[in-house]
Amino acid sequence: QVQLVESGGGLVQAGGSLRLSCVASGSILSINYIAWYRQAPGKPRELVAKITTGCLTNYAASVKGRFTISRDNARNTVELQMNSLNPEDTADYLCNAEIRTTARSIVLYWGQGTQVAVSS
C-alpha cells in the first residue's frame, strides 16, 4: 500500500509562516505529481499548489506569491512553504498524489491532513 503522511501544521499569527511536509511511502514506482489541497468548513476542497515530475508548478490565485511548493524525488517528499499567512488560510491541508504503483497502474492517494490555523 501507499501512504501519504503530512506534518507541519499549527497555529500562527497573521503574517507568520509555516512549512508543511508530505512524505509518500509504500509500493511506489514513480510519482507523477503531488499537490496540496485545503478544505475549510462550509467551503469545497480547493487546490492550493501542485508540482509535477518535471517540476512545473501552479498555484491558487489567492496564494500565489506567498506560498512555494517544492519536491524532493529522492525522499518522495513535497513541501509547502507558506509565508504572509492570513486568517483566510485557515483550513485542513491535504496532500494528494498521482502514483504509479505498478507498470500498468496509476492511482490517486490522499493523506489524512494537517491543520493550519491563523489568528487575526
Side-chain angles (χ1 to χ4, degrees):
Q1 294 183 338
V2 172
Q3 289 185 316
L4 303 178
V5 180
E6 304 101 328
S7 62
L11 173 64
V12 298
Q13 293 182 328
S17 298
L18 285 173
R19 185 188 296 270
L20 306 183
S21 295
C22 174
V23 181
S25 63
S27 182
I28 300 170
L29 294 184
S30 62
I31 301 177
N32 292 340
Y33 71 77
I34 304 180
W36 285 98
Y37 287 75
R38 67 186 181 188
Q39 189 160 26
K43 296 182 179 180
R45 188 168 293 178
E46 175 190 24
L47 175 66
V48 177
K50 179 181 178 180
I51 185 166
T52 69
T53 300
C55 291
L56 297 176
T57 60
N58 57 63
Y59 298 90
S62 60
V63 308
K64 191 173 184 179
R66 299 187 297 120
F67 292 9
T68 302
I69 189 169
S70 60
R71 179 174 179 171
D72 184 341
N73 291 332
R75 295 184 175 184
N76 286 330
T77 63
V78 64
E79 294 187 340
L80 184 68
Q81 178 66 45
M82 305 186 296
N83 298 325
S84 302
L85 288 163
N86 60 63
E88 299 298 321
D89 298 315
T90 296
D92 186 29
Y93 283 72
L94 300 154
C95 184
N96 168 248
E98 184 179 275
I99 296 175
R100 181 177 293 279
T101 58
T102 72
R104 310 183 80 168
S105 298
I106 299 175
V107 182
L108 289 173
Y109 290 93
W110 290 90
Q112 294 298 309
T114 184
Q115 295 286 341
V116 171
V118 185
S119 61
S120 60

